[in-house]
Amino acid sequence: MTKKEIALKAVEALKAEYPNAICTLQYSDPLQLLIATRLAAQCTDARVNIVTPALFERYKTVDDFADSTPEEVAEYIKSCGLYKTKSKDIVLMARAIRDNFGGKVPDNLDDLTTLPGIGRKTANLIMGDVFGKPAVVVDTHFMRITRRLGLHNLTDQKKIEFAMRELLPPEESNDFCHRVVLHGRAVCTARNPKCQTCCMHSFCDGQTASSDQ
């Protein structure tokens, strides 16, 4: 099979296995998802979802965050890890959104990646989940699973993103990324993947966890 054919089979297999393709971070507006995603760096989504209710109750708008200080925000996010850096990014991000984008989270990758602490992974997530645009969110699960499938042999996130954009149907790419994360947590783990029970076993390239270490 070609890489394109494998990618299409993977889309259909994961769609059947995980019909509800949703982001596991809890949010109610674009700003909240942007902040929650920043907090999720080197932290579990479950932990972020514990922290954000109090944070978003205290800071309800872009102006609330922009008018705060990193020290104040840090008090709410200490259990997320790297909280000093994250709190600084959150305040500066809010100020940039207020001052440069009229108080609204931008809807394109170029503008999103100008925000402090926001890289292509987060920008793609916002574009896909908030604005419904084709997006490829390259996290560690996505890197691992797409490599095991034989879709690439790359390690650079940006290169993987562009390679997978060529293989995935644009209308399926965002949901596919969410499903890959769910599959990576449940089945195709970094160590000791459950290959025999995997919904993609019949067409997977057969690379094992040892190739990812």
Side-chain angles (χ1 to χ4, degrees):
M1 285 188 290
T2 65
K3 291 181 179 180
K4 186 81 169 183
E5 290 170 337
I6 294 171
L8 294 176
K9 280 184 170 291
V11 166
E12 294 306 315
L14 291 178
K15 185 185 295 187
E17 193 78 3
Y18 310 96
N20 298 318
I22 58 172
C23 177
T24 52
L25 292 169
Q26 296 172 2
Y27 66 97
S28 60
D29 59 49
L31 178 65
Q32 288 189 1
L33 179 57
L34 192 66
I35 290 171
T37 306
R38 181 66 189 95
L39 292 176
Q42 298 185 40
C43 181
T44 66
D45 288 3
R47 167 54 57 184
V48 173
N49 289 337
I50 292 172
V51 167
T52 51
L55 179 69
F56 295 150
E57 178 62 28
R58 168 62 180 84
Y59 302 100
K60 294 183 171 64
T61 67
V62 168
D63 287 337
D64 289 340
F65 280 106
D67 292 337
S68 186
T69 66
E71 293 74 20
E72 291 172 338
V73 172
E75 292 300 312
Y76 290 86
I77 66 170
K78 283 186 174 180
S79 63
C80 282
L82 302 175
Y83 68 92
K84 291 183 179 179
T85 299
K86 292 177 181 179
S87 62
K88 181 180 179 181
D89 284 344
I90 288 169
V91 171
L92 292 178
M93 176 200 310
R95 291 174 182 172
I97 292 171
R98 179 192 63 189
D99 298 341
N100 302 334
F101 302 106
K104 295 184 178 180
V105 174
D107 65 354
N108 63 86
L109 192 142
D110 288 342
D111 287 342
L112 283 163
T113 51
T114 67
L115 301 175
I118 302 304
R120 295 184 69 89
K121 182 177 75 171
T122 297
N124 271 289
L125 179 66
I126 298 297
M127 285 173 38
D129 278 27
V130 174
F131 299 108
K133 297 183 177 184
V136 176
V137 182
V138 182
D139 69 348
T140 54
H141 295 293
F142 191 90
M143 293 173 71
R144 178 176 71 253
I145 292 174
T146 53
R147 186 165 62 245
R148 286 178 177 172
L149 284 167
L151 298 176
H152 63 82
N153 60 356
L154 305 168
T155 57
D156 180 83
Q157 286 181 300
K158 186 175 181 179
K159 290 180 180 179
I160 293 171
E161 176 193 328
F162 280 98
M164 293 305 300
R165 283 184 184 276
E166 295 295 319
L167 298 176
L168 294 170
E171 70 278 7
E172 297 283 359
S173 60
N174 192 56
D175 286 347
F176 177 76
C177 294
H178 286 313
R179 292 178 174 120
V180 166
V181 171
L182 295 174
H183 194 64
R185 291 171 179 167
V187 178
C188 195
T189 53
R191 297 179 184 276
N192 303 316
K194 305 175 182 67
C195 295
Q196 296 305 316
T197 61
C198 177
C199 60
M200 299 186 288
H201 179 67
S202 64
F203 57 87
C204 181
D205 194 51
Q207 299 181 60
T208 63
S210 61
S211 65
D212 299 310
Q213 306 307 316

